[in-house]
Amino acid sequence: MIKKLSFTVLLIFNFAFSQGNYNDSIKKVIEKDFAKIGIAEFKNLVPFHTFKGMGYLNSKDNKVVVKPTYSNLDFSKPNLKGRYKQIFFEIDSKTKDVKIFDDNFRIMGMGSDSSESNKKDSSISQGFSVDIDNNKIYSYSSSYSSEPYLFLYKKNYYAIVEKDGKYAVVRRNGETLENLGFEYTALKKYDIGNNIVWFKYKTKDNQEGFVNINGEKRVVNNLIKDSNNRIQGFFDFIDTKSSITTKYYGYSIEYNDKLYGVFDLINMDWLIKPQKKFKIIDINYSVEEPLSEKYDLNDRKKLKFYFLIGDGDKAKDYYIDSEFTKYIPKNK
């Protein structure tokens, strides 16, 4: 028994020792690859894709400064993050110290197969009731076609509701908001932070635009027709807990089968007008100094934005900026 226990302990020790040696060797490779890149240059690094992997180029001259032997590379935030082989790492923007993460396993969210209990209540003529402790609806009027989409705005609960194919925004008592009554065939909420909420709408007369919670309508019929949108992306790092939702700081990718553009939901105008040449699939940014601990749209002025262009082949993806400057490596 003692021999078996000793053998098990020895195996664990040898594995830990081997893993430590492997991590040290990976760290040395990363340190060597980034040795000639000064901290002041972190903000100029732009990831690029090839069939071999990802690398970094310098945005000033598009020259490759890190060869494409990596994956999961991000822009300066202001630390650099990425993956070499199966090892995730982070490079400190003040010291250039390389941190290696041993915990290289995936924690994937498990979907629930439990069905929602019937929350329709025939005794409620309009409106809905809220489980405040859990921020969810526990009953709603049977006059609504489906469960309302609940949201909280300035400490008050509202919901997007559907009735006979028409959508509206209502208070808990069922009262509709100004210019947000049952006149829309489509209604989608855009919450970009700092208490700025817009609803993208479409009417039965095919009018499209944005309306805010105060009923103000903007950019009427100046959008991409029947467009989809994205207001945030995702950076995959180590596991689901460590991965990051990349908010677009008030920008929205608007697109349909033919046109792509970037709309500014703060200034309510196009940053990149609808066009066919560039298929914009993601937005990212670099920053020199750490941002506010809490997400704040006022940080947007500190960011340099990049727009990922892709057409199905990830090895050919590349970034542009709002001036359509392409960041494609000169010497892969």
Side-chain angles (χ1 to χ4, degrees):
M1 180 68 181
I2 294 175
K3 287 184 177 180
K4 287 184 178 179
L5 182 60
S6 299
F7 181 69
T8 302
V9 171
L10 182 62
L11 281 177
I12 294 172
F13 175 79
N14 286 338
F15 175 79
F17 183 75
S18 299
Q19 184 66 31
N21 284 342
Y22 179 70
N23 288 351
D24 287 342
S25 67
I26 294 296
K27 183 176 180 179
K28 288 178 181 178
V29 171
I30 297 168
E31 288 174 338
K32 182 179 179 181
D33 286 347
F34 286 81
K36 295 182 180 180
I37 302 173
I39 289 174
E41 292 298 313
F42 280 16
K43 66 180 184 296
N44 298 321
L45 298 180
V46 176
F48 68 89
H49 298 79
T50 72
F51 68 92
K52 295 179 181 179
M54 295 181 69
Y56 278 121
L57 60 81
N58 190 315
S59 62
K60 291 182 177 180
D61 54 17
N62 280 3
K63 289 185 178 180
V64 172
V65 291
V66 175
K67 293 181 179 180
T69 55
Y70 291 81
S71 60
N72 299 74
L73 292 180
D74 195 12
F75 287 88
S76 166
K77 294 286 192 302
N79 291 354
L80 298 176
K81 291 182 178 181
R83 187 179 185 183
Y84 184 79
K85 295 186 176 179
Q86 299 302 313
I87 301 296
F88 288 92
F89 66 90
E90 182 172 4
I91 304 177
D92 191 278
S93 62
K94 295 188 181 299
T95 64
K96 275 193 79 175
D97 288 343
V98 177
K99 181 178 181 181
I100 296 295
F101 295 89
D102 290 321
D103 203 7
N104 293 303
F105 57 86
R106 297 283 166 169
I107 305 173
M108 304 306 293
M110 299 298 292
S112 172
D113 59 359
S114 61
S115 59
E116 286 281 334
S117 58
N118 188 1
K119 299 177 182 178
K120 283 191 176 184
D121 190 339
S122 59
S123 67
I124 303 176
S125 61
Q126 60 180 2
F128 56 91
S129 299
V130 179
D131 176 355
I132 296 176
D133 292 333
N134 296 300
N135 285 319
K136 64 180 182 179
I137 289 174
Y138 69 80
S139 66
Y140 60 92
S141 171
S142 59
S143 66
Y144 300 147
S145 304
S146 57
E147 182 173 336
Y149 171 78
L150 180 70
F151 65 93
L152 188 64
Y153 178 74
K154 292 186 176 180
K155 299 182 179 181
N156 293 310
Y157 284 103
Y158 302 89
I160 298 176
V161 298
E162 179 190 2
K163 186 187 293 186
D164 300 325
K166 300 290 181 60
Y167 295 86
V169 177
V170 301
R171 296 182 173 87
R172 291 168 70 176
N173 63 4
E175 178 185 352
T176 59
L177 275 61
E178 181 182 358
N179 273 344
L180 282 164
F182 289 97
E183 58 185 286
Y184 302 105
T185 56
L187 198 61
K188 183 174 183 179
K189 173 174 164 281
Y190 287 44
D191 186 347
I192 62 172
N194 293 51
N195 287 322
I196 299 176
V197 174
W198 288 94
F199 301 91
K200 187 179 179 181
Y201 71 83
K202 184 177 182 179
T203 69
K204 65 178 181 180
D205 299 323
N206 290 321
Q207 183 189 95
E208 295 184 65
F210 284 103
V211 56
N212 65 18
I213 205 162
N214 298 317
E216 177 190 5
K217 290 188 175 182
R218 298 287 294 273
V219 292
V220 177
N221 289 336
N222 191 28
L223 297 174
I224 297 175
K225 185 175 177 59
D226 296 323
S227 62
N228 299 301
N229 81 292
R230 290 186 67 187
I231 60 172
Q232 62 185 28
F234 186 77
F235 177 65
D236 188 16
F237 192 69
I238 304 179
D239 53 40
T240 51
K241 184 178 179 180
S242 304
S243 297
I244 302 165
T245 297
T246 307
K247 294 183 180 294
Y248 293 167
Y249 282 85
Y251 292 125
S252 173
I253 300 173
E254 300 285 327
Y255 63 97
N256 60 19
D257 292 338
K258 297 180 180 179
L259 296 173
Y260 292 80
V262 176
F263 192 79
D264 185 344
L265 289 158
I266 296 177
N267 297 316
M268 298 308 291
D269 199 2
W270 289 102
L271 176 70
I272 298 178
K273 292 182 178 180
Q275 44 76 47
K276 297 179 180 179
K277 183 177 180 180
F278 298 109
K279 183 178 180 180
I280 303 167
I281 59 175
D282 195 15
I283 300 175
N284 210 328
Y285 59 86
S286 65
V287 62
E288 290 188 66
E289 297 295 332
L291 301 176
S292 305
E293 187 172 335
K294 185 178 180 182
Y295 175 75
D296 186 351
L297 286 176
N298 293 315
D299 282 335
R300 190 168 85 167
K301 58 182 177 291
K302 304 175 184 177
L303 312 179
K304 165 67 175 176
F305 285 93
Y306 296 89
F307 307 92
L308 185 62
I309 309 302
D311 197 16
D313 186 350
K314 193 169 184 178
K316 296 180 180 179
D317 291 354
Y318 63 93
Y319 284 96
I320 64 170
D321 59 23
S322 59
E323 303 299 321
F324 299 115
T325 302
K326 293 182 180 181
Y327 296 96
I328 299 175
K330 288 182 177 179
N331 51 338
K332 289 187 182 180

